[in-house]
Amino acid sequence: MSNCKVTAICNQKGGVTKTTTTANLGIGLAMQGKKVLLVDIDPQADLTASLGWPNSDALPMTLADIMEKTLHDENFEHYGAILRHDEGVDLIPSSIELSGMEMSLVNAMSREFTLRNYLELIKHNYDHVLIDCPPSLSMLTINALAAADSVIVPVQAQYLPAKGMTQLMRTIGKIRKQINPNLKVDGVLLTLADMRTNLARATAETLRQQYGSMLKIYKTQIPVAVKAAEISAAGQSIFAYDKGSKVAQAYAEFTKEVLADGERAKNKPAPGR
Ligand code: ADP
Ligand code: MG
């Protein structure tokens, strides 16, 4: 049995910092000594670009190739697509070709399990796999949720995402019923928070009241900061780009919360035993 935990960073809304959170949580975990694989399953390839590979279409192998070969049961080098980032994480890059997969998947057998089947082959090498989802509830997102043990949902603290959250929770409920009964929601991460404004404070408060009993809302909130928006062009994490900043501190705190949850889960007996 592998001890690897697979987590999808998921929200069908764009611009809520899924990609930024995947990169910085991943590198945060690596800084704590964990072996981490990041998987970019968004055809826009923002995670791939933000880690320093802006021309992912020129890469010899990407997730699109992996999924294509897995889907058709073809042989391929299982580690052939993995890129190594300077800050200690591995990455399976995406490319625009992945948008073509959407159509191939619609008509394929075991289509929901394509990513999961591939990850089963390699995940024993890692403590954590983090999957950066596209801003949709597409077949690619379903593949991510089918492969995941848990979901982290970044939510923008500036506005009340009640409707979007309901939709996402409904999708997660369906996935649990039909394809992945063990899928857990680890928690909601409030991001882009400008806590000087009443609106952000009120939104955070309302979210805690409305969802706090059903869902964990992480204590850490990620503040809004211009430097944080610059890291994707720099190909670095916030820890390397602006060490000591509020955003770097927040991602370090968030990483600790995620690790503490993992420890608690390990000490609990497995369900049904
Ligand atoms: P998603 O993957 O959900 O679409 P991104 O991670 O791409 O979201 O983030 C959306 C935008 O916000 C990007 O331009 C990113 O650089 C910027 N951004 C991310 N984190 C912060 C932050 N803490 N403060 C300000 N801007 C941020
Ligand atoms: Mg993104």
Side-chain angles (χ1 to χ4, degrees):
M1 266 283 282
S2 135
N3 278 324
C4 175
K5 180 169 181 182
V6 181
T7 304
I9 316 298
C10 194
N11 186 333
Q12 73 274 27
K13 196 167 154 32
V16 297
T17 79
K18 289 181 290 296
T19 300
T20 309
T21 296
T22 306
N24 289 287
L25 173 61
I27 290 171
L29 289 167
M31 287 164 70
Q32 297 299 316
K34 300 295 177 188
K35 284 184 273 175
V36 179
L37 173 68
L38 307 180
V39 179
D40 190 353
I41 196 169
D42 182 351
Q44 285 188 54
D46 289 342
L47 178 66
T48 305
S50 77
L51 290 173
W53 289 275
N55 300 313
S56 62
D57 293 329
L59 291 169
M61 192 172 172
T62 68
L63 185 62
D65 304 299
I66 290 176
M67 290 188 68
E68 190 74 41
K69 306 263 188 213
T70 305
L71 197 59
H72 297 120
D73 241 335
E74 286 171 36
N75 282 330
F76 66 102
E77 167 48 46
H78 296 159
Y79 299 93
I82 295 175
L83 302 171
R84 189 109 243 268
H85 188 265
D86 285 349
E87 294 179 63
V89 293
D90 284 357
L91 168 72
I92 297 186
S94 171
S95 63
I96 189 69
E97 264 179 82
L98 200 55
S99 59
M101 273 310 293
E102 194 69 43
M103 282 316 291
S104 332
L105 284 169
V106 166
N107 296 312
M109 251 198 327
S110 69
R111 56 193 185 173
E112 291 91 353
F113 298 110
T114 312
L115 178 64
R116 174 152 113 188
N117 289 342
Y118 166 68
L119 287 179
E120 289 298 334
L121 303 171
I122 59 152
K123 72 180 193 183
H124 59 271
N125 294 299
Y126 298 97
D127 301 310
H128 291 270
V129 175
L130 304 182
I131 310 171
D132 184 24
C133 292
S136 64
L137 295 173
S138 64
M139 207 54 199
L140 292 169
T141 300
I142 291 171
N143 262 264
L145 294 176
D149 300 302
S150 72
V151 187
I152 290 175
V153 185
V155 158
Q156 192 174 347
Q158 301 298 357
Y159 103 125
L160 199 58
K163 196 168 156 219
M165 289 274 283
T166 309
Q167 243 178 358
L168 178 60
M169 292 310 146
R170 214 175 277 152
T171 304
I172 290 172
K174 265 194 221 159
I175 301 264
R176 269 197 203 116
K177 238 187 231 153
Q178 296 172 15
I179 44 188
N180 186 0
N182 298 321
L183 184 65
K184 275 185 47 213
V185 179
D186 275 346
V188 171
L189 174 66
L190 292 172
T191 66
L192 300 173
D194 184 352
M195 284 305 152
R196 290 164 308 181
T197 68
N198 290 332
L199 178 60
R201 273 200 302 269
T203 307
E205 193 46 42
T206 310
L207 263 174
R208 283 186 206 282
Q209 280 170 6
Q210 274 193 357
Y211 294 99
S213 61
M214 280 184 285
L215 287 174
K216 177 194 171 93
I217 297 174
Y218 290 103
K219 279 203 197 81
T220 312
Q221 304 190 8
I222 310 296
V224 68
V226 177
K227 285 251 182 178
E230 293 170 3
I231 57 177
S232 56
Q236 288 182 317
S237 74
I238 193 71
F239 307 113
Y241 188 74
D242 195 15
K243 191 177 158 213
S245 64
K246 287 226 162 83
V247 175
Q249 274 169 24
Y251 273 112
E253 287 298 313
F254 175 53
T255 302
K256 278 189 206 149
E257 278 195 73
V258 169
L259 282 172
D261 274 358
E263 287 308 312
R264 262 196 298 280
K266 258 186 222 157
N267 297 331
K268 253 198 255 163
R273 263 180 234 168

